[in-house]
Amino acid sequence: MAKIVFIQNIKYPFFGVMSISALLKKYNHFVDAFITDKINEEILNFLKVNNPDYIGFSIMTGNHIWAINSSEIIKNNSILSKIIFGGVHPTIFPEIIENKNVDIICQGEGEYPLLELLNNSDKKIFKTNIKNLWFKDENEIIKNDLRSPMENLDELPFPDRSIYYKYKYFITKNAEFNSSRGCPYICSFCSSKIINTITGRNKKKYFTTKSPVYFVTEIENAVKQYPFIKRINFINEVFSYDDNWFYSFLELYVLKIKLPFVVFLRVDMIDEKKIKTLQESGCELVLFGVESGNEKIRKKILKKNISDKAFIDASNWFHKYKLDFITSNIVGLPSENLEEALDTVRFNILLKPEITVCSLLMPYPKTDITDMAYEQGLIPLINPNDIDLTFYKDTMLNLPHKKEIVNLQRLFLIFSKYPFVFYCFKNVLLKAPNNIIFDWLFLLSYFFYQKIMYQRNYFETLKFGLMNFKLFKK
């Protein structure tokens, strides 16, 4: 039996970690996870006593610095476990292995590479020719090719939720499920296009999904094992991408599960029949990205080729079938002037969502929109170490109306929910200095977003917000 311990600072159950844990446990390996803001004595003592073969960090750009600092603390305490970095960041920036505290990185899917790694460790073998993994061997970095993305997700065991449910704050009525991997779209602000190119999805199949029977059985198993689950959140990037899958899955879901659920959608992949089916199947809430309320900006700058009409039709159908919906939006875009940013408020007023959430553009390195911002002189050449974990604090772009854009993001929910405030007071409010009152108004709007999204009571929502308050501190 080989051992691996995952450590993360984000209070969110990572699907990759759960899937890896399930496969490793199937082959009798030891897996545990810690959620912590810092590497404390409790964790250090656990690592010293249990002496895991590997310590894993699943990281995104923005929290990779925390992972590097945490690894340094571990190394400085004479813990000899090999440090593995996996997730989106090392997939896109594998050079992070050059850091002295990182021993191995995993690009792309991690289930079978880590199984092979731990199987070898169990046999007291250390091989460095495992696809998807890079190794540091003395002063040499061994770079292995990537294996093809998995085509049959049904071959995996169900995700291991036990590693997170040992923490009380994960035990809520909501449970999140994901039936697919990959995204066939090329939005300029998203990393999916980059990951597809790196992992080879653009050469074969952009999108892989679990079968309806497997996925329903996975949910059924989780609900039986954890009876506190009363609501399902489907966080697929494109839930309704395949019509046959969509209708087959919902038919089985109604027969077997019968719990209310939440879905993420693209409005160009739905019609009235699908929305009616969602409502009849128990859907309570829909989330979709508007991003920009200006069609030209949405299509040309964000590369999200969805028309205004598609959004308007979808919102009318949602209202017709009494399905609440939440929109996500972005302001502070290259080539976007203040009036075009205000179009996003106006468009949300027209759509009438239950609630809105708005972020400031985060210029993630290697994305098309970041290249665009650099070419326009709005940002210097971006280093991954410059990126923050959250896109709600401030904008990194040197925008002509930076003050107004930041205020707009802070007041976005108020403006879209109460049109009279927008039309009567927007000029005065947007011209005000950026201030702590507007910051708190945004935090309050995010509080209500979390409450509606996860159906937490006020106390639970406040507690969750305070745990993650550091993400908003400047």
Side-chain angles (χ1 to χ4, degrees):
M1 177 180 70
K3 300 178 182 179
I4 185 169
V5 174
F6 290 97
I7 303 177
Q8 65 187 69
N9 66 333
I10 298 176
K11 294 177 174 64
Y12 185 86
F14 290 166
F15 281 97
V17 171
M18 290 192 289
S19 185
I20 291 168
S21 177
L23 185 64
L24 295 181
K25 286 183 176 180
K26 178 180 177 180
Y27 287 87
N28 300 314
H29 296 299
F30 174 88
V31 186
D32 205 348
F34 283 96
I35 318 295
T36 183
D37 291 329
K38 60 182 180 180
I39 305 300
N40 52 34
E41 286 300 318
E42 177 190 356
I43 294 173
L44 291 172
N45 288 336
F46 178 92
L47 297 175
K48 289 173 182 177
V49 170
N50 289 276
N51 190 29
D53 301 275
Y54 303 99
I55 298 171
F57 292 84
S58 181
I59 55 175
M60 300 176 287
T61 303
N63 78 323
H64 64 287
I65 298 297
W66 172 86
I68 288 171
N69 293 338
S70 297
S71 300
E72 183 173 18
I73 294 171
I74 291 169
K75 295 281 190 183
N76 289 343
N77 277 270
S78 302
I79 293 167
L80 301 179
S81 309
K82 297 285 187 183
I83 302 289
I84 305 177
F85 278 13
V88 175
H89 185 82
T91 296
I92 299 176
F93 302 102
E95 60 270 21
I96 197 170
I97 197 174
E98 296 170 6
N99 185 278
K100 64 180 182 179
N101 300 303
V102 182
D103 301 303
I104 304 169
I105 65 105
C106 179
Q107 287 189 292
E109 295 169 328
E111 288 91 350
Y112 287 107
L114 290 192
L115 177 62
E116 192 174 339
L117 182 69
L118 267 69
N119 282 345
N120 288 341
S121 294
D122 195 27
K123 298 171 186 174
K124 308 302 179 187
I125 300 170
F126 186 67
K127 292 184 177 180
T128 57
N129 61 345
I130 300 173
K131 287 186 176 182
N132 286 36
L133 301 184
W134 288 19
F135 294 85
K136 190 183 292 172
D137 189 8
E138 295 182 354
N139 295 322
E140 181 186 8
I141 294 175
I142 299 166
K143 305 176 181 180
N144 292 300
D145 294 335
L146 275 83
R147 61 191 72 202
S148 296
M150 290 180 60
E151 294 188 19
N152 180 18
L153 300 181
D154 289 10
E155 71 185 47
L156 292 170
F158 300 144
D160 175 24
R161 296 174 180 271
S162 67
I163 58 172
Y164 288 115
Y165 280 149
K166 70 178 185 177
Y167 291 96
K168 289 184 178 179
Y169 50 76
F170 285 124
I171 299 176
T172 69
K173 66 186 291 186
N174 291 272
E176 296 187 328
F177 291 82
N178 191 346
S179 70
S180 63
R181 293 185 184 181
C183 180
Y185 297 100
I186 56 169
C187 301
S188 66
F189 54 92
C190 181
S191 63
S192 289
K193 177 183 174 183
I194 308 167
I195 293 172
N196 285 341
T197 301
I198 292 170
T199 61
R201 285 193 180 275
N202 62 332
K203 295 177 183 176
K204 295 188 74 175
K205 188 178 180 182
Y206 286 104
F207 184 74
T208 310
T209 188
K210 301 168 184 175
S211 70
V213 172
Y214 175 95
F215 194 38
V216 166
T217 306
E218 175 190 328
I219 299 166
E220 191 175 26
N221 180 74
V223 170
K224 286 179 180 177
Q225 189 174 0
Y226 305 106
F228 53 80
I229 297 174
K230 301 297 181 185
R231 190 175 187 238
I232 308 299
N233 291 2
F234 295 117
I235 63 164
N236 301 45
E237 295 190 69
V238 279
F239 184 80
S240 58
Y241 182 71
D242 183 293
D243 286 0
N244 289 333
W245 186 94
F246 177 86
Y247 289 110
S248 297
F249 168 73
L250 288 178
E251 182 179 355
L252 284 170
Y253 184 88
V254 170
L255 287 173
K256 300 274 189 172
I257 311 298
K258 300 176 183 176
L259 288 177
F261 63 91
V262 178
V263 294
F264 290 72
L265 297 172
R266 273 180 63 110
V267 298
D268 58 342
M269 292 162 42
I270 55 175
D271 53 27
E272 184 173 3
K273 179 184 175 184
K274 282 186 176 180
I275 291 173
K276 184 174 185 289
T277 303
L278 283 170
Q279 190 270 337
E280 291 173 344
S281 302
C283 182
E284 289 187 337
L285 182 67
V286 174
L287 293 89
F288 58 84
V290 170
E291 320 310 354
S292 173
N294 183 287
E295 188 172 302
K296 180 189 74 173
I297 295 292
R298 187 187 316 122
K299 290 182 174 181
K300 184 177 179 181
I301 306 302
L302 297 176
K303 304 292 176 64
K304 189 160 187 171
N305 193 29
I306 305 178
S307 67
D308 285 353
K309 183 179 184 302
F311 284 105
I312 293 167
D313 287 346
S315 66
N316 287 337
W317 291 327
F318 289 133
H319 290 303
K320 176 179 178 179
Y321 293 100
K322 296 181 171 52
L323 261 179
D324 289 339
F325 62 94
I326 297 174
T327 66
S328 62
N329 306 270
I330 310 172
V331 294
L333 307 172
S335 301
E336 176 192 62
N337 60 40
L338 182 57
E339 272 304 308
E340 288 167 332
L342 292 173
D343 283 343
T344 306
V345 177
R346 297 183 184 104
F347 198 54
N348 275 273
I349 291 172
L350 176 66
L351 299 181
K352 296 183 176 66
E354 177 68 15
I355 201 165
T356 61
V357 62
C358 183
S359 63
L360 294 154
L361 176 71
M362 179 62 75
Y364 289 106
K366 298 190 180 182
T367 57
D368 290 344
I369 204 164
T370 297
D371 293 342
M372 196 182 308
Y374 175 72
E375 290 167 2
Q376 294 179 17
L378 298 174
I379 50 172
L381 194 62
I382 291 290
N383 185 300
N385 296 341
D386 299 328
I387 298 296
D388 205 320
L389 181 57
T390 178
F391 29 69
Y392 296 122
K393 286 183 188 177
D394 202 353
T395 175
M396 296 176 66
L397 276 62
N398 185 24
L399 300 166
H401 300 283
K402 182 173 180 176
K403 177 184 71 173
E404 289 85 350
I405 290 294
V406 171
N407 282 342
L408 174 61
Q409 184 265 342
R410 298 294 195 265
L411 300 172
F412 194 92
L413 174 62
I414 294 172
F415 281 164
S416 58
K417 195 72 174 175
Y418 304 103
F420 74 91
V421 176
F422 174 72
Y423 288 112
C424 296
F425 302 108
K426 69 176 183 297
N427 292 334
V428 173
L429 293 172
L430 293 180
K431 290 177 182 177
N434 300 144
N435 61 82
I436 194 170
I437 295 174
F438 288 1
D439 292 346
W440 278 100
L441 285 172
F442 170 75
L443 286 173
L444 185 63
S445 69
Y446 194 77
F447 173 93
F448 283 108
Y449 162 73
Q450 287 286 325
K451 186 177 184 303
I452 291 171
M453 175 65 192
Y454 295 102
Q455 285 196 336
R456 297 184 177 102
N457 60 38
Y458 285 100
F459 175 76
E460 290 171 336
T461 307
L462 181 61
K463 183 179 178 181
F464 179 83
L466 291 173
M467 284 195 299
N468 290 278
F469 182 68
K470 65 180 184 297
L471 300 180
F472 299 96
K473 292 195 295 186
K474 296 182 180 180

